[in-house]
């Protein structure tokens, strides 16, 4: 056992929900406000192609708000996982152009959660600036493949 | 003229993908509470910024502050910052030693005069004790004075560099002082200073402060003790998961009793959370794992002036009787009531933990 996350530590959170019970009725004001904000961003995306990001870390939420928000937004057709400094899951919601992005670190701790209103989240797109490096890498791999083919043909 | 590499060029050379960089920027901008508009340009500006030269000086210290930043168990978001800066001098990390190391420091300072970031950890001995701590024949005070002259700004890292810390504890035999006090006393030149206190500081607070400067070419908003408000705007108590028990009047009476195990407030056991401004309860330690109150121990108040000597005034919420407990020494003058602080301006990030 040499790594922190292998140590069987149990983090005992005092259960806030048990002390402050969330009201059972519909979505909270916080959820309604986020939905309203998403609607405004969709309008701006439609009219002048402006992207927007909502940082869920900073929104005050009652217990259950995130689940309620997820439920309203639903799931779309796309789910992509990016392996960069830990897993990032990009999930399209059932609302077109609304994406739910969850960043985790190498120990799978949640380090960021965002809703993006855009055609395609930037983290999914490849960088055209990497095209030159891509060509170099492709040439290297082709030369290895050619060498391998030549070796096989000389053996046969 | 030599082309100064941008951060993005350096990252590309090192095989660090744009996606990793974007993730770092998104998480850091979120931690710094930047508005969505600001966050959108964060990656763009940071990517095209030239890597700043960083001179890191260590004085009377334990290397814990460097360890805090560097001891990551896995490649992490925090240590990506090391690729964003040009760390030109750090006694513990550099390969060079002796004359070569000192020459490298002087060359870096000369080449980047007026533009480098000076990071200081450890307190500085003064007065008759000035020569108790020397490097290459120079007192810490002389080295600091020389380095401050050409710095764009100074980051005092850790409670020793900010407020004197352990070396300044009673009876403070080396007349140790933090950087800010030396500036106030006119013993070193005055420069823009940001205090990143803590013993040690939280890694994300260190990297967040430097990243903010890289993007904005300015320091973040500071509190009265020159600490970034975004990280030190709220007390540890304000965001403690045991706060509900404090409000409900549930207090542990001894370490490990049934109340403590049920998450009762540790206030009566000397927890200094109510007077300590830091982000431990929101950012947490060891890559977001936990912080002392999770483990049943109260806050030590390590990010505040007077840490080590400071006692805490505990007023029994029922009887109103005051007791002085806590503190690692019975000396010092920390008998004051709880500091009320500037919690109203707090922008400490809330935890990313589902309620």
């Amino acid at each position: 056992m040499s790594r922190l996350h292998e140590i069987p530590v149990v983090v005992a959170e005092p259960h806030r929900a048990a002390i402050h019970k969330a009201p059972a009725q519909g979505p909270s004001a916080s959820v309604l406000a986020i939905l309203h904000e998403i609607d405004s961003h969709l309008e701006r995306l439609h009219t002048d192609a402006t992207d927007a990001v909502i940082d869920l870390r900073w929104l005050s939420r009652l217990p259950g708000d995130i689940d309620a928000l997820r439920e309203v937004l639903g799931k779309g057709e796309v789910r992509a996982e990016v392996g960069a400094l830990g897993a990032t899951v990009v999930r399209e919601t059932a609302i077109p152009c609304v994406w739910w992005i969850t960043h985790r670190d190498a120990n799978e701790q949640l380090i960021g959660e965002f809703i993006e209103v855009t055609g395609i989240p930037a983290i999914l797109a490849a960088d055209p600036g990497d095209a030159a490096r891509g060509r170099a890498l492709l040439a290297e791999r082709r030369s290895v493949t050619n060498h391998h083919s030549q070796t096989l043909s000389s053996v046969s | 003229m030599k082309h100064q590499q941008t951060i993005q060029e350096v990252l590309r050379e090192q095989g660090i993908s744009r996606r990793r960089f974007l993730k770092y920027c998104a998480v850091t901008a979120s931690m710094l509470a930047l508005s969505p508009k600001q966050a959108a340009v964060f990656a763009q500006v940071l990517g095209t910024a030239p890597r700043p030269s960083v001179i890191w000086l260590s004085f009377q210290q334990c290397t814990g502050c460097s360890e805090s930043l560097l001891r990551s168990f896995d490649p992490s978001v925090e240590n990506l910052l090391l690729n964003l800066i040009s760390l030109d001098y750090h006694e513990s990390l550099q390969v060079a030693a002796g004359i070569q190391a000192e020459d490298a420091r002087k060359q870096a300072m000369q080449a980047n005069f007026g533009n480098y970031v000076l990071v200081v950890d450890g307190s500085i001995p003064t007065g008759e004790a000035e020569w108790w701590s020397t490097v290459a024949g120079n007192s810490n005070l002389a080295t600091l004075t020389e380095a401050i002259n050409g710095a764009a700004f100074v980051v005092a890292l850790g409670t020793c560099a900010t407020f004197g810390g352990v070396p300044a504890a009673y009876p403070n035999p080396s007349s140790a002082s933090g950087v800010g006090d030396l500036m106030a006393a006119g013993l070193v030149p005055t420069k823009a200073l940001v205090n990143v206190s803590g013993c040690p500081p939280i890694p994300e607070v260190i990297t967040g402060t430097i990243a903010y400067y890289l993007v904005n070419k300015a320091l973040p908003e500071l509190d009265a003790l020159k600490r970034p408000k975004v990280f030190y705007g709220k007390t540890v108590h304000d965001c403690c998961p045991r706060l509900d028990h404090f409000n409900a009047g549930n207090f542990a009476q001894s370490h490990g009793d049934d109340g403590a195990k049920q998450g009762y407030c540790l206030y009566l056991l000397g927890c200094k959370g109510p007077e300590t401004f830091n982000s431990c309860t929101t950012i947490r330690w060891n890559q977001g794992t936990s912080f002392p109150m999770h483990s049943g121990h109260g806050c030590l108040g390590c990010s505040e002036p007077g840490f080590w000597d400071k006692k805490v005034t505990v007023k029994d919420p029922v009887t109103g009787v005051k007791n002085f407990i806590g503190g690692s020494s019975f000396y010092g003058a920390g008998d004051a009531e709880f500091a009320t602080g500037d919690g109203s301006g707090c922008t400490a990030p809330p935890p990313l933990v589902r309620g």
Side-chain angles (χ1 to χ4, degrees), chain A residues 3-4 11 13-14 16 20 53 55 57-58 84-88 104 107 109 111-113 122-125 127 130, chain B residues 12 18-20 23 26-27 30-31 33 36 74 77 240-241 244 284 286-289 294 347 349-350 352 354-355:
Chain A
R3 294 149 74 94
L4 180 67
V11 179
E13 286 270 12
R16 272 173 189 252
H20 297 302
V53 180
D55 184 350
R57 179 195 291 242
W58 289 93
L85 300 168
T88 289
R104 293 185 184 276
N107 290 328
Q109 293 286 335
I111 55 173
E113 197 159 34
I123 200 163
L124 286 184
D127 181 9
D130 279 342
Chain B
R12 193 170 285 158
R18 174 182 150 280
R19 292 190 180 101
R20 286 183 180 208
K23 182 168 177 174
V27 172
S30 166
M31 201 167 58
D74 290 291
V77 172
C240 182
D244 290 325
R284 304 185 179 190
N286 296 321
Q287 295 173 309
T289 302
H294 273 136
T347 47
L352 278 166
R354 302 283 156 68

Side-chain angles (χ1 to χ4, degrees), chain B residues 138-158:
Chain B
N138 298 311
S139 72
N140 290 167
L141 191 62
T143 305
L144 179 62
T145 301
E146 183 190 15
I148 285 180
N149 276 324
F153 78 102
V154 183
V155 179
L157 190 65

Side-chain angles (χ1 to χ4, degrees), chain B residues 11-285:
Chain B
L11 293 180
R12 193 170 285 158
E13 267 182 16
Q14 295 178 357
I16 294 169
S17 73
R18 174 182 150 280
R19 292 190 180 101
R20 286 183 180 208
F21 180 64
L22 285 179
K23 182 168 177 174
Y24 169 79
C25 291
V27 172
T28 305
S30 166
M31 201 167 58
L32 289 165
L34 300 181
S35 72
K37 268 190 179 173
Q38 289 173 309
V41 296
F42 189 86
Q44 193 184 348
V45 175
L46 194 54
T48 53
R51 288 201 315 160
S53 171
V54 174
I55 308 286
W56 186 311
L57 298 177
S58 301
F59 299 131
Q60 294 189 126
Q61 49 86 40
C62 68
T63 318
C65 297
S66 296
E67 292 282 328
S68 175
L69 181 62
L70 305 171
R71 278 284 190 184
S72 294
F73 291 83
D74 290 291
S76 69
V77 172
E78 301 89 63
N79 63 23
L80 181 61
L81 182 93
L82 294 176
N83 296 295
L84 308 185
I85 61 174
S86 174
L87 191 55
D88 290 330
Y89 184 87
H90 187 300
E91 287 171 8
S92 305
L93 298 179
Q94 63 199 8
V95 176
I99 293 170
Q100 286 87 354
E102 292 308 301
D103 284 349
R105 175 174 64 84
K106 287 179 178 167
Q107 280 171 18
M109 283 166 49
Q110 198 175 5
N112 301 287
F113 194 86
N115 297 312
Y116 59 81
V117 178
L118 177 62
V119 177
V120 178
D121 67 352
S123 63
I124 299 94
T126 62
E128 291 181 2
E130 179 185 337
W131 293 91
W132 286 15
S133 178
T134 64
V135 175
N138 298 311
S139 72
N140 290 167
L141 191 62
T143 305
L144 179 62
T145 301
E146 183 190 15
I148 285 180
N149 276 324
F153 78 102
V154 183
V155 179
L157 190 65
T159 297
C160 295
T162 52
F163 309 128
V166 175
Y170 182 87
N172 192 1
S174 64
S175 300
S177 188
V179 177
D181 286 343
L182 293 179
M183 287 181 180
L187 291 174
V188 297
T190 299
K191 268 279 159 71
L193 170 70
V194 55
N195 284 330
V196 180
S197 61
C199 188
I202 299 170
E204 288 88 340
V205 174
I206 304 171
T207 59
T209 302
I210 296 176
Y212 185 95
Y213 172 77
L214 292 179
V215 170
N216 296 286
K217 296 287 175 277
L219 299 178
E221 190 183 357
L222 305 178
D223 70 4
L225 296 174
K226 294 188 180 297
R227 299 176 297 191
K229 270 191 176 178
V230 68
F231 299 119
Y232 297 91
K234 217 168 192 177
T235 67
V236 169
H237 178 73
D238 289 334
C239 300
C240 182
R242 294 175 186 259
L243 182 62
D244 290 325
H245 287 298
F246 174 86
N247 293 333
N250 300 326
F251 296 93
Q253 302 299 316
S254 66
H255 290 290
D257 70 7
D258 284 346
K261 287 174 187 169
Q262 288 176 52
Y264 283 14
C265 177
L266 303 170
Y267 175 60
L268 295 182
L269 301 178
C271 177
K272 294 178 182 175
E275 58 178 61
T276 303
F277 290 80
N278 207 340
S279 299
C280 300
T281 42
T282 51
I283 297 176
R284 304 185 179 190
W285 285 89

